[in-house]
Amino acid sequence: MPAAAPIISSVQKLVLYETRARYFLVGSNHAETKYRVLKIDRTEPKDLVVIDDRHVYTQQEVRELLGRLDLGNRTKIGQKGTSGLSRAVTAFGIVGFVRFLEGYYIVLITKRRKMADIGGHAIYKIEDTNMIYIPNDSVRVTHPDEARYLRVFQNVDLSSNFYFSYSYDLSHSLQYNLTVLRVPLEILGTETVRTRQESFDIFEDEGLAAQGRNGVFGICSEPYRKYVWNGKLLDVVKTAVHRDWLLYIIHGFCGQSKLLIYGRPVYVTLIARRSSKFAGTRFLKRGANCEGDVANEVETEQILCDASVMSFSAGSYSSYVQVRGSVPLYWSQDISTMMPKPPITLDQADPFARVAALHFDQMLQRFGSPIIILNLVKEREKRKHERILSEELVTAVTYLNQFLPPEHAIVYIPWDMAKYTKSKLCNVLDRLNVIAENVVKKTGFFVNRPDSYCSVLRPDEKWNELGGCVIPTGRLQTGVLRTNCVDCLDRTNTAQFMVGKCALAYQLYSLGLIDKPNLQFDTDAVRLFEELYEDHGDTLSLQYGGSQLVHRVKTYRKIAPWTQHSKDIMQTLSRYYSNAFSDADRQDSINLFLGVFQPEEGKPHLWELPTDFYLHQKDTITLVQARRSYTYWWTPGVLKHLPLPYDEVTCAENRRKLMVKKFHKLDEEIDIHNEFFRPYELSSFDDTFCLAMTNSIRDFMPKNVGIDPSPFTVRKPDETGKSVLGNKSNREETVLQRKTAASAPPPPSEEAVSSSSEDDSGTDKEDEGAVSQRSTPVKMTDAGENAKITENVVQSIKDGYGINLSESPSEDDLSIYTRFVQLGQSQHKQDKTHQQLCSKHLAGVINLTHISAFSQDNIYEVQPPKVDRKSVEIFHAHIQAGKGLMQPLGKEDFLMYREYIRNRYM
């Protein structure tokens, strides 16, 4: 059992109960063994009164409490006809509380869908939400503009690319989350004492002193507010409720695919976090604000994990992070003129690069050094347009670098990608590949295990040149690549794909999956990765620009089909239409949702403002009291720890961001095995295997007999898995399904539970039928081939196991299985009752010891055994004797020989 583990939220299912005077929000963990209750007052017309009773209930206690509330809220004592407590809605989390001009609303997640899995920690996408007005009708004070504010707020589609997790911090990188779990135990002990003193829950620390060595430290960190989109919505109740009620969501993209390497599953996950600071649409948000936050800033992280081991402590995990964002200057484009490319203007003079200094200071704190800028803006133009930004950015970087130590200076790489694309003699991706190799060598990447023994024996020459920070438990990424063009969409996505492809090769090599850190185009692995990045680019482009990508990787490889040109024209027109007619409304919705604009009585309404410039540039409204130094432009303490990121250093400031609590090793709040597998729950295949991710063998490997199954083998264009899809319609259907898997909700015919139109779900059980991805399996062959393959598979399984999996289980089998699960649930409850009594006994029984001489005996790493000195001397003597060089016999040898003769012949 690890010494530290992430804390799993104990509020994963919510039921909202309603009376005339109050709302009661009952939250429970997934196993429904722990409950918490929130009381929300409905008699206040404009104030929010939320009371957390600070108690953890059992299921029986909650039933008794709800029964007493029902009885006490009936109109007449003893009346049985009407209920005093009615059930309003079932949900999976609280997005937050918001108020416009009347009373408060509560926003609840009513549907979710599992999108990815990282070490057993599930990542969900919001499928539907419900806004409920809190004050009752008798105290409601109506306002004529309330309905319009409500429509503007709901224009932010929460069912489109918003993600959350109950146990994994999506606002931080994998490197940060695993670094936190490696904090020394003595520090965790002191933090536990501090957290207990500041603890909100008066019952949280019962029985912890008696746990002794069975205790495990549970760690929960503060989210990185820059990438949290409902922070303002939760601030109003943050100090009044337990932390488990606070569910932070991110906006961006999340996709996961399975790479099968001779049957060994490896998950490739891509997570994009869009910044909530200076957020908006394409032409309305350009450059940076006065706090150093830039427009269209997205942090993209690719995570590689061996899916055969589900544990952060025992599994193998690797990640690489890169960033995109607008050029950090004061600049904008005037869209009043109906032009496809409005002229670029610099709004303010910034001779001391104050805005750029604030921006790069944030990056040094989060990523360390070096910060590498890949500027893809045009360098040569007949009329200065994009080149204005390049010249100003070079001036700002040059000014800032003169105060940094040379080893931590900002690296600036300008490259006119558009010019190289037009040239017939230049290969764009070859040049990008050279840049990517240099970048990855400088920044390194994160991996949570030391170099394999074979890599130590036979190191690759490129591996020895790799940068980053090498620690005993693996490697850390230090520094980051920041890519930008003008829009940070098409060119940026292709450049990021090439850097990600290079980093993916190093990640696979570090996990011992390939023999050299190189990946070729037209392999199953790269095609799978390219499709992930195209989905990622399309989603981010829709959020910021209003259309999908115009230029893709195939466009720059110059292998795109001729039909792609017409599609590019349509995407360009769609982007132009969105920028001209719908971006202003979307910008108002984002400003209202993020709390940038707060409606107040007597002030101009949101739609009456001529511009939102003053909302995002706070120094235009309030006078800045303290100005930062023009020379020492970084935060104190950052430079001392470089190249390591300051946010990951174990210091007093960072320790204050951690919530540490000691649990029993069998407690559900830190048991990710029980959370993922749910062994005491009656489950079905549709729910257990609801995540239908892209598979390298099923979707990319050729179906011909005798083909090399390795995903790293270069395929011919006519040998791909997609080329043998049935007809054209099937191919388009497959691609469309994969494209929309990250953003579109399931078809209406497959939803078992309606959305916010159904207020009463009628059961406490999780409505995962609508939440799960019960999509039709991807069709990779035509009907004839599919029938043959299915027949062969079923026959082989029937021969081996004696059952036919294509047939549904009989009613007798289902009843037997149901009774088996009920017995397991009963045993689970009994085990929980006697858990504390039997823990010491179990610790003595379950004590496995290694039978091998190797210190680590597993499929990932083998280290040579430690041999004592006497054994080494005996082995050397044996070698010498084989060469005819006999060692002189000692006194012990003569005595041993004399004893042997006596026992043998006398």
Side-chain angles (χ1 to χ4, degrees):
M1 194 72 186
I7 297 178
I8 304 169
S9 173
S10 61
V11 178
Q12 299 186 21
K13 297 180 182 179
L14 296 94
V15 182
L16 186 67
Y17 295 94
E18 175 185 6
T19 66
R20 284 190 56 82
R22 290 179 181 85
Y23 276 123
F24 292 93
L25 194 59
V26 180
S28 71
N29 59 355
H30 191 276
E32 298 182 359
T33 57
K34 295 181 180 180
Y35 289 81
R36 293 183 182 273
V37 178
L38 278 187
K39 184 170 64 174
I40 306 172
D41 193 359
R42 301 186 64 196
T43 59
E44 292 289 340
K46 291 190 176 182
D47 294 331
L48 179 65
V49 180
V50 178
I51 301 174
D52 190 344
D53 65 359
R54 309 186 182 191
H55 184 65
V56 179
Y57 295 87
T58 63
Q59 191 176 60
Q60 183 64 30
E61 290 172 342
V62 165
R63 288 177 179 173
E64 294 174 357
L65 174 65
L66 294 177
R68 290 195 298 269
L69 291 172
D70 181 29
L71 188 62
N73 283 280
R74 292 179 180 175
T75 55
K76 295 181 181 179
I77 301 298
Q79 183 179 359
K80 296 183 179 179
T82 59
S83 174
L85 185 71
S86 61
R87 179 171 175 151
V89 67
T90 302
F92 300 105
I94 303 174
V95 176
F97 298 84
V98 63
R99 177 182 175 270
F100 308 123
L101 296 171
E102 296 180 7
Y104 274 91
Y105 297 83
I106 181 173
V107 186
L108 298 174
I109 301 171
T110 55
K111 287 186 182 180
R112 67 185 184 185
R113 179 155 56 113
K114 187 176 179 180
M115 294 300 299
D117 179 86
I118 302 176
H121 301 267
I123 299 174
Y124 296 97
K125 175 180 176 289
I126 298 177
E127 287 291 300
D128 202 359
T129 56
N130 196 355
M131 284 188 70
I132 300 174
Y133 189 67
I134 294 177
N136 58 35
D137 295 337
S138 62
V139 298
R140 182 169 187 170
V141 180
T142 59
H143 194 283
D145 294 314
E146 180 76 8
R148 184 167 182 180
Y149 273 116
L150 183 60
R151 286 196 302 271
V152 172
F153 183 86
Q154 291 178 331
N155 278 342
V156 175
D157 187 7
L158 285 170
S159 65
S160 174
N161 310 114
F162 284 88
Y163 305 92
F164 67 92
S165 176
Y166 298 112
S167 55
Y168 183 80
D169 189 351
L170 287 172
S171 66
H172 285 291
S173 64
L174 179 73
Q175 175 172 315
Y176 178 90
N177 289 333
L178 294 191
T179 302
V180 164
L181 297 181
R182 294 200 187 101
V183 175
L185 294 180
E186 56 272 13
I187 296 179
L188 291 179
T190 58
E191 288 300 304
T192 306
V193 174
R194 181 187 64 80
T195 307
R196 190 180 301 125
Q197 293 171 352
E198 301 172 0
S199 178
F200 176 87
D201 196 332
I202 59 176
F203 296 100
E204 274 198 352
D205 302 307
E206 285 187 356
L208 291 179
Q211 290 177 8
R213 60 187 179 89
N214 291 327
V216 175
F217 290 104
I219 299 180
C220 179
S221 61
E222 281 290 321
Y224 193 65
R225 292 298 293 260
K226 189 175 191 175
Y227 298 115
V228 172
W229 276 65
N230 63 335
K232 289 284 187 180
L233 302 179
L234 291 174
D235 280 348
V236 66
V237 296
K238 184 176 180 180
T239 57
V241 301
H242 189 269
R243 54 175 172 78
D244 284 351
W245 293 104
L246 306 176
L247 186 64
Y248 295 101
I249 63 175
I250 67 166
H251 183 40
F253 173 82
C254 179
Q256 189 172 59
S257 296
K258 182 188 293 184
L259 186 66
L260 278 173
I261 306 173
Y262 294 104
R264 184 174 176 181
V266 176
Y267 286 172
V268 182
T269 311
L270 204 62
I271 299 176
R273 309 174 184 92
R274 180 173 291 280
S275 172
S276 61
K277 308 292 184 182
F278 204 52
T281 53
R282 185 184 178 202
F283 284 126
L284 298 179
K285 284 292 164 283
R286 295 294 211 190
N289 64 4
C290 61
E291 297 177 338
D293 303 308
V294 299
N296 195 22
E297 183 174 6
V298 182
E299 178 182 302
T300 300
E301 180 180 20
Q302 61 188 56
I303 299 174
L304 201 71
C305 63
D306 189 341
S308 57
V309 177
M310 188 207 67
S311 169
F312 278 157
S313 58
S316 300
Y317 295 85
S318 177
S319 72
Y320 183 78
V321 178
Q322 47 187 324
V323 177
R324 68 171 70 184
S326 189
V327 179
L329 305 168
Y330 285 123
W331 65 280
S332 62
Q333 288 179 279
D334 185 12
I335 59 173
S336 59
T337 58
M338 300 292 288
M339 297 174 59
K341 290 185 178 180
I344 294 174
T345 57
L346 295 174
D347 299 330
Q348 297 182 33
D350 193 7
F352 300 104
R354 187 179 69 87
V355 173
L358 291 170
H359 177 67
F360 292 122
D361 181 36
Q362 292 178 10
M363 299 189 72
L364 286 174
Q365 290 187 57
R366 183 163 173 85
F367 303 109
S369 69
I371 304 298
I372 304 174
I373 303 172
L374 177 57
N375 185 18
L376 305 175
V377 169
K378 294 178 182 178
E379 298 287 340
R380 294 185 179 181
E381 297 173 300
K382 294 181 181 179
R383 179 177 59 88
K384 285 182 70 172
H385 180 64
E386 298 184 8
R387 187 153 56 97
I388 298 173
L389 301 178
S390 292
E391 293 173 353
E392 287 295 318
L393 183 59
V394 169
T395 304
V397 171
T398 305
Y399 173 81
L400 296 176
N401 271 341
Q402 61 184 330
F403 306 110
L404 280 175
E407 63 271 18
H408 302 309
I410 301 170
V411 181
Y412 179 75
I413 305 175
W415 189 56
D416 190 343
M417 188 171 175
K419 173 189 171 184
Y420 274 79
T421 305
K422 296 176 182 177
S423 173
K424 295 182 179 179
L425 302 177
C426 301
N427 190 317
V428 175
L429 298 189
D430 284 350
R431 174 61 180 161
L432 277 175
N433 192 54
V434 174
I435 295 175
E437 285 283 351
N438 293 330
V439 166
V440 176
K441 284 180 181 177
K442 288 179 180 178
T443 62
F445 63 96
F446 170 73
V447 63
N448 72 330
R449 54 182 293 244
D451 295 346
S452 57
Y453 188 60
C454 61
S455 300
V456 176
L457 289 177
R458 299 180 297 276
D460 189 271
E461 56 183 22
K462 291 168 59 177
W463 186 256
N464 293 331
E465 301 172 0
L466 197 61
C469 181
V470 181
I471 58 176
T473 56
R475 291 176 175 268
L476 298 178
Q477 177 182 347
T478 57
V480 73
L481 172 69
R482 186 195 189 278
T483 311
N484 73 268
C485 50
V486 177
D487 296 325
C488 302
L489 297 178
D490 302 335
R491 286 174 282 179
T492 298
N493 197 71
T494 302
Q496 283 195 330
F497 163 74
M498 289 302 298
V499 176
K501 170 179 167 289
C502 177
L504 180 66
Y506 281 99
Q507 290 176 280
L508 290 166
Y509 180 79
S510 69
L511 300 185
L513 301 173
I514 54 178
D515 57 349
K516 289 185 178 297
N518 271 326
L519 284 178
Q520 302 282 337
F521 273 108
D522 296 323
T523 59
D524 299 343
V526 173
R527 281 181 176 138
L528 177 143
F529 190 65
E530 180 183 339
E531 185 171 278
L532 263 181
Y533 250 97
E534 283 200 356
D535 293 345
H536 159 267
D538 284 339
T539 304
L540 298 182
S541 183
L542 277 168
Q543 293 166 6
Y544 182 66
S547 74
Q548 293 184 348
L549 291 173
V550 176
H551 303 298
R552 304 173 180 276
V553 176
K554 288 185 175 60
T555 307
Y556 292 102
R557 289 186 68 190
K558 299 179 181 178
I559 61 171
W562 63 272
T563 55
Q564 185 65 38
H565 299 294
S566 60
K567 293 180 181 178
D568 291 348
I569 294 173
M570 293 302 298
Q571 294 298 339
T572 303
L573 294 175
S574 173
R575 186 176 294 182
Y576 176 73
Y577 175 83
S578 175
N579 300 153
F581 299 106
S582 63
D583 277 5
D585 294 335
R586 290 173 56 206
Q587 185 66 57
D588 287 344
S589 302
I590 292 172
N591 290 339
L592 187 62
F593 183 85
L594 293 176
V596 178
F597 176 84
Q598 298 282 353
E600 292 184 29
E601 197 73 45
K603 290 189 176 181
H605 296 300
L606 177 62
W607 47 86
E608 295 175 351
L609 297 177
T611 177
D612 66 349
F613 176 82
Y614 303 100
L615 300 177
H616 292 273
Q617 308 288 349
K618 296 181 180 179
D619 61 351
T620 60
I621 300 177
T622 59
L623 184 63
V624 180
Q625 298 295 330
R627 288 188 173 273
R628 297 178 64 132
S629 171
Y630 290 142
T631 56
Y632 296 97
W633 51 266
W634 50 85
T635 301
V638 171
L639 209 61
K640 180 174 65 175
H641 298 286
L642 291 179
L644 293 175
Y646 182 73
D647 287 352
E648 297 175 13
V649 175
T650 306
C651 61
E653 181 180 352
N654 291 334
R655 288 205 300 267
R656 283 194 292 269
K657 301 176 184 178
L658 299 180
M659 201 290 294
V660 183
K661 178 186 171 186
K662 199 169 187 180
F663 293 91
H664 190 274
K665 67 178 182 179
L666 301 178
D667 197 291
E668 292 174 345
E669 289 189 54
I670 48 94
D671 189 356
I672 193 63
H673 179 275
N674 189 69
E675 172 72 15
F676 181 79
F677 289 105
R678 298 167 183 172
Y680 302 104
E681 178 183 307
L682 178 59
S683 57
S684 64
F685 278 166
D686 285 342
D687 293 337
T688 305
F689 303 103
C690 62
L691 182 57
M693 65 180 73
T694 306
N695 190 303
S696 62
I697 287 184
R698 183 188 63 208
D699 299 343
F700 294 94
M701 195 182 80
K703 301 299 182 288
N704 302 332
V705 179
I707 292 294
D708 185 358
S710 171
F712 310 113
T713 301
V714 178
R715 314 286 188 196
K716 297 179 182 178
D718 56 346
E719 282 187 353
T720 63
K722 290 186 178 181
S723 65
V724 294
L725 290 168
N727 50 28
K728 183 178 179 181
S729 62
N730 284 342
R731 287 200 299 272
E732 292 178 352
E733 179 186 351
T734 303
V735 173
L736 180 63
Q737 180 182 0
R738 218 175 274 127
K739 292 289 183 190
T740 58
S743 58
S749 60
E750 296 173 0
E751 295 182 353
V753 182
S754 65
S755 60
S756 53
S757 60
E758 281 194 22
D759 292 336
D760 192 352
S761 64
T763 176
D764 278 348
K765 293 297 180 183
E766 180 177 349
D767 297 332
E768 288 279 9
V771 175
S772 304
Q773 292 188 14
R774 291 189 179 182
S775 55
T776 307
V778 180
K779 300 178 181 178
M780 300 305 299
T781 59
D782 58 15
E785 292 179 358
N786 197 15
K788 292 179 182 177
I789 294 174
T790 305
E791 182 181 356
N792 293 336
V793 171
V794 172
Q795 285 179 353
S796 61
I797 294 178
K798 186 174 182 180
D799 293 340
Y801 296 97
I803 59 172
N804 192 346
L805 294 182
S806 62
E807 298 177 355
S808 300
S810 64
E811 294 183 1
D812 293 339
D813 293 336
L814 283 177
S815 63
I816 293 173
Y817 178 60
T818 305
R819 288 200 299 270
F820 169 75
V821 171
Q822 291 172 351
L823 288 173
Q825 290 175 339
S826 302
Q827 181 64 30
H828 177 54
K829 294 176 181 177
Q830 184 178 1
D831 290 344
K832 286 294 175 183
T833 306
H834 302 285
Q835 183 182 47
Q836 299 295 334
L837 298 176
C838 302
S839 58
K840 294 183 179 180
H841 177 67
L842 288 175
V845 173
I846 308 174
N847 187 15
L848 303 178
T849 57
H850 290 286
I851 60 173
S852 170
F854 293 94
S855 58
Q856 293 190 16
D857 188 14
N858 52 44
I859 62 173
Y860 307 107
E861 181 177 4
V862 174
Q863 294 182 352
K866 296 180 181 179
V867 186
D868 58 9
R869 183 176 178 181
K870 185 175 180 181
S871 301
V872 173
E873 292 176 352
I874 293 174
F875 180 73
H876 282 300
H878 171 72
I879 297 296
Q880 295 297 327
K883 296 179 180 179
L885 302 176
M886 302 298 296
Q887 291 187 354
L889 298 178
K891 184 177 180 181
E892 293 182 356
D893 298 323
F894 280 113
L895 293 175
M896 185 183 299
Y897 183 69
R898 184 178 300 169
E899 187 69 21
Y900 167 74
I901 294 297
R902 182 182 296 113
N903 295 333
R904 177 71 174 171
Y905 299 106
M906 297 181 180

